[in-house]
Amino acid sequence: MSSQSSGSKWVAGLLVVAIAVAVGIFVYREKQARDAVTAPAAEAASTAAASQPIGHDAPAPLHPVDPASAGSASLPALDQSDDAILAGLLALTSDDALKSLLRQDAIVSRMVSTIDALPKQTVGMNVLPLRTPTGRFQVQSDDGMFVESKKNLDRYETYMYVADRMNPQAAAAWYKRNYPLFQQAYRDLGTGGYFNDRLIEVIDHLLAAPEPKGKLQLIPAKVGYVYADPNYEQLSVGQKFMIRVGKANEAKLKEKLRALREAIVADAPAGASAG
């Protein structure tokens, strides 16, 4: 958690709104000076790399997107998609709460980079699709030890409000229609494979986040605080975020993620693994 949090530079990526807003939407990262690592730039890589299709000998996707629900040639180019993507995302909500949080440039590339990084230890500030919570991370003394202050939950209210109002089925349908853009942005990272497989993997990783029974002790670090228990301190940035939002919010996010996962794998092409 940096001075604002314990080793957690966060990001929540409720995706593509339900993970683009049910965790792409949450992406939250507390800046931590001791982290010198930066993630790939949010902008797409070279046009040549983006245009290279996956080879015919590449393994089949574990979770293919139904061609009938995927986007078509009518989709804009990735580097010209921000207006259409923003309009689609805002249509999934009934007010401007999401717009106030969303960074409105390189939206798809930011989502993809953030989601891909959630199971890792760091996420670069330059790839976050959402603005980070205002204010500083606060601790309090409890029986002679430092623990997270309940006041921190106030910083997540707008994010939770957006997630609560997001319909996972509608979010999944929007995602599938725009999937070619997400796949292209994923190829631009140079990782290979299929973004939808990575998304399902990340959702499962977030669902596996521990659910602490009590307060977690924090200890001062060179910058901010870290978890006293190494089992928690070594968690990924994504799982740390799930813990940081509090027990009740973590349960709500997991409920959204389960519904989102189910909606994404529904109607997969015949013979595909449901995972």
Side-chain angles (χ1 to χ4, degrees):
M1 299 179 187
S2 94
S3 318
Q4 300 128 217
S5 142
S6 143
S8 150
K9 12 287 86 194
W10 233 98
V11 177
L14 254 237
L15 168 16
V16 186
V17 345
I19 214 190
V21 174
V23 183
I25 235 318
F26 270 95
V27 348
Y28 162 68
R29 182 216 173 173
E30 297 274 10
K31 183 179 180 182
Q32 190 166 3
R34 59 190 172 123
D35 293 322
V37 181
T38 53
E43 283 76 21
S46 68
T47 303
S51 63
Q52 292 179 359
I54 295 175
H56 293 296
D57 58 347
L62 295 175
H63 303 281
V65 174
D66 183 359
S69 62
S72 66
S74 63
L75 290 176
L78 177 61
D79 61 359
Q80 299 176 15
S81 64
D82 286 334
D83 289 345
I85 290 297
L86 177 62
L89 286 174
L90 297 182
L92 294 172
T93 60
S94 58
D95 55 34
D96 291 334
L98 173 57
K99 189 174 182 179
S100 71
L101 300 177
L102 194 66
R103 291 180 174 176
Q104 299 176 26
D105 65 294
I107 300 174
V108 172
S109 293
R110 289 179 183 277
M111 285 182 176
V112 168
S113 295
T114 294
I115 291 165
D116 181 62
L118 294 182
K120 304 175 184 179
Q121 295 299 311
T122 61
V123 178
M125 286 293 289
N126 62 323
V127 303
L128 299 185
L130 301 184
R131 305 183 191 283
T132 57
T134 57
R136 296 179 63 84
F137 178 76
Q138 300 183 54
V139 299
Q140 65 184 40
S141 179
D142 184 87
D143 291 333
M145 66 180 185
F146 290 118
V147 298
E148 181 176 353
S149 171
K150 291 183 179 180
K151 294 180 180 179
N152 290 313
L153 297 180
D154 296 339
R155 304 170 67 208
Y156 308 128
E157 283 186 355
T158 302
Y159 299 81
M160 290 304 304
Y161 172 82
V162 172
D164 284 343
R165 297 174 73 84
M166 190 59 56
N167 181 291
Q169 288 71 35
W174 171 85
Y175 162 65
K176 290 178 180 181
R177 287 195 300 273
N178 290 279
Y179 181 70
L181 297 176
F182 286 89
Q183 178 60 29
Q184 180 178 340
Y186 189 57
R187 289 204 306 271
D188 288 345
L189 294 181
T191 55
Y194 303 90
F195 177 68
N196 201 49
D197 288 350
R198 180 59 171 169
L199 173 58
I200 296 301
E201 180 183 11
V202 171
I203 292 177
D204 289 343
H205 176 76
L206 296 175
L207 290 174
E211 300 174 10
K213 302 301 181 183
K215 300 175 182 178
L216 297 177
Q217 181 181 0
L218 303 173
I219 55 177
K222 185 175 182 179
V223 177
Y225 297 82
V226 297
Y227 289 116
D229 186 339
N231 292 322
Y232 285 97
E233 183 55 32
Q234 68 183 6
L235 293 175
S236 69
V237 68
Q239 291 190 341
K240 280 181 178 176
F241 174 76
M242 297 295 285
I243 294 174
R244 282 172 49 79
V245 296
K247 183 177 181 180
N249 286 339
E250 180 177 1
K252 290 180 181 179
L253 291 183
K254 285 186 174 181
E255 181 179 0
K256 283 283 185 178
L257 287 172
R258 291 188 185 96
L260 178 64
R261 187 190 193 285
E262 181 178 353
I264 290 174
V265 301
D267 301 319
S273 169

